[in-house]
Amino acid sequence: MDTAPSAQPLTTTAPPAGNRRRVATAAALASAVEWYDYFVFGIAAALVLGDLYFPAGSSSAGVLASFATFAVGFLARPLGGIVAGHLGDKRGRKPMLVLALTLMGLATTGIGLLPTYDTIGVAAPVLLVVLRVVQGVAVGAQWGGAMLLATEYAPAGKRGIYGSVVQLGVPIGVVTANTVFLLAGAFTTDAAFASWAWRVPFLAGLLVLVLAWYIHTRVEETPEFKRAEHALAQREKTDAASPLRTILRHHLGTVLLAGGSFAVNTATFYILITGVLDYTTRELHMNRGAVLTVSLCVSLTQLALIPASAALSDRVGRIRIYALGAAGIALWAVPLFLLIDTGSLLWLAVGSFVASCFLSIMYGPQAALFAELFTPEMRYTGASLGYQIAAVAGGGLAPFLMVLLLEATGTSMSVAGYIIGLSVIALLSIKVLASRARSR
């Protein structure tokens, strides 16, 4: 039976404002650098990794292998969410966030230094997959830690806007990753880019280790976790002492509904930033730099839209805003690909911008919404599992499935149908979550 509780009230003794700002800034930076490291792989997968690590008889086969490796990172994300969630609910949010940042920095730098297939043979793709798995574990562990640092420090009535600073890490990561790739391509020849310049964005992963040290030494544990520690200590030898066991026994339905509600968002997002990049450059023969620039500009608009939708959710409710975004994605799926298929940069920008608006409307309140589904002693585990299930069901497979659908059907409308199907699942999941919230 699923009896997921509503959010616990925030402490009446608020942390100092300066401490809140420092924690919110650290959480936002942690999210941004983690997602930057994660996204550079997706861009590289669409542009160069297929040829360098998966040589094959056709370009589409190499891209499929590259996107399959991209998807492996998503399959590893629930593992990171489970382990970090369990330990984060028992030992604290901060240690798990520091560990996640350290893993991501080491894995991303390792990819930047990894020899290609021509140099070390089959060991190259094997090691690439291993490092991608480590990236997946790291980002699966990171989101819950950063999100809870922000939301559990939030003052009353502002959990949505505080949670949105972590969500801003996604567009910041996309903008930064695209910018670095654009600069790498602009200052080198195509041959140099394929030879060594693509590695530069990965080597920036070393900077993540600096941020991990800062959070370790300068950021305090959240007030809500400190209060929850007493309850955990009292139940240390009972079933309730295991957040994961409690979630799986009593709240699995809520976790699955959360994942179902968000899969369309993460799938559409990765289709836009990786699948469309491959489709427009390989099939529609559009300029790589121009398409990356469109993606960069569209992501910049999310920097305003995400906090705006989060702030609105603090006033009118999470579910209303969240459902509006999901419905918009469903309605825009077909027009989006009709515009992309024109091969025009202008219409690509228009289609991507409108889709990005609906994604932002969902993404802004999502951190606070997921946090409020669970009590503090199981919140890291429950929220992380819901998010990472969505990542596997949606984002990880989306670029891979997009290539398969295009190859099998010859029309982008099949991809639009895939997005619409996920939107229906999202709206049904949101409806059930809303019904349960009303009954509570």
Side-chain angles (χ1 to χ4, degrees):
M1 177 180 178
D2 194 303
T3 55
S6 59
Q8 297 298 294
L10 295 173
T11 177
T12 55
T13 305
N19 195 26
R20 276 206 202 105
R21 287 192 293 268
R22 182 168 66 251
V23 171
T25 300
L29 288 173
S31 178
V33 297
E34 191 92 351
W35 285 116
Y36 164 83
D37 283 2
Y38 201 67
F39 291 146
V40 292
F41 191 101
I43 296 172
L47 297 177
V48 296
L49 295 184
D51 292 334
L52 295 176
Y53 291 92
F54 304 97
S58 70
S59 59
S60 60
V63 170
L64 279 170
S66 184
F67 279 160
T69 305
F70 178 69
V72 164
F74 286 82
L75 296 176
R77 281 170 60 169
L79 175 61
I82 289 170
V83 174
H86 179 76
L87 294 176
D89 281 328
K90 292 175 71 68
R91 306 301 178 211
R93 309 343 186 173
K94 188 181 83 170
M96 293 303 100
L97 180 57
V98 171
L99 176 61
L101 289 169
T102 303
L103 286 175
M104 180 63 84
L106 293 175
T108 304
T109 304
I111 294 171
L113 298 173
L114 185 63
T116 64
Y117 186 93
D118 287 342
T119 304
I120 61 173
V122 72
V126 170
L127 290 173
L128 183 66
V129 170
V130 170
L131 291 170
R132 181 59 178 171
V133 167
V134 176
Q135 277 195 322
V137 170
V139 82
Q142 171 272 144
W143 182 80
M147 179 271 289
L148 293 180
L149 273 184
T151 58
E152 290 186 348
Y153 263 98
K158 294 188 177 180
R159 184 172 275 177
I161 190 66
Y162 268 69
S164 73
V165 302
V166 175
Q167 308 297 73
L168 286 176
V170 170
I172 291 172
V174 173
V175 168
T176 309
N178 278 321
T179 300
V180 174
F181 268 101
L182 279 169
L183 292 174
F187 289 100
T188 60
T189 63
D190 288 346
F193 180 84
S195 176
W196 62 268
W198 68 269
R199 297 180 181 274
V200 174
F202 288 92
L203 297 179
L206 288 170
L207 298 176
V208 180
L209 302 178
V210 177
L211 179 60
W213 176 252
Y214 174 83
I215 293 175
H216 175 67
T217 57
R218 298 295 302 277
V219 173
E220 297 180 8
E221 189 55 78
T222 72
E224 286 199 46
F225 177 76
K226 290 178 180 178
R227 293 199 309 277
E229 277 187 300
H230 177 72
L232 288 168
Q234 298 299 315
R235 298 182 294 175
E236 189 66 35
K237 296 183 179 182
T238 70
D239 282 350
S242 170
L244 178 60
R245 186 179 298 118
T246 301
I247 287 290
L248 294 179
R249 285 186 177 181
H250 304 294
H251 311 301
L252 182 59
T254 299
V255 169
L256 294 176
L257 287 169
S261 76
F262 194 63
V264 65
N265 187 289
T266 188
T268 307
F269 175 78
Y270 282 103
I271 284 172
L272 285 175
I273 69 165
T274 57
V276 169
L277 177 59
D278 167 63
Y279 178 58
T280 53
T281 55
R282 184 167 57 88
E283 298 289 342
L284 302 181
H285 309 293
M286 297 174 70
N287 179 266
R288 178 185 67 198
V291 175
L292 283 172
T293 301
V294 167
S295 179
L296 186 154
C297 293
V298 168
S299 295
L300 284 172
T301 65
Q302 293 184 304
L303 298 178
L305 292 169
I306 287 175
S309 65
L312 187 60
S313 79
D314 282 331
R315 297 174 63 86
V316 305
R318 317 274 183 234
I319 290 291
R320 289 183 182 179
I321 304 302
Y322 198 63
L324 176 63
I329 293 171
L331 295 173
W332 189 246
V334 170
L336 169 64
F337 280 96
L338 290 176
L339 293 174
I340 291 173
D341 285 343
T342 65
S344 163
L345 278 175
L346 174 61
W347 291 122
L348 170 65
V350 170
S352 300
F353 170 73
V354 175
S356 178
C357 288
F358 292 124
L359 293 178
S360 299
I361 289 171
M362 281 191 78
Y363 202 56
Q366 184 250 343
L369 175 64
F370 278 29
E372 290 167 353
L373 293 174
F374 307 96
T375 52
E377 60 270 18
M378 66 184 75
R379 184 172 287 156
Y380 201 140
T381 303
S384 292
L385 272 178
Y387 188 95
Q388 303 313 332
I389 286 172
V392 173
L397 295 175
F400 182 82
L401 288 176
M402 179 175 175
V403 175
L404 285 181
L405 287 170
L406 290 170
E407 290 285 316
T409 66
T411 173
S412 62
M413 290 300 102
S414 59
V415 184
Y418 166 60
I419 292 174
I420 292 170
L422 289 177
S423 298
V424 172
I425 293 172
L427 290 169
L428 291 174
S429 299
I430 292 168
K431 182 178 180 180
V432 176
L433 287 173
S435 176
R436 291 185 176 190
R438 285 192 298 270
S439 67
R440 287 196 298 269

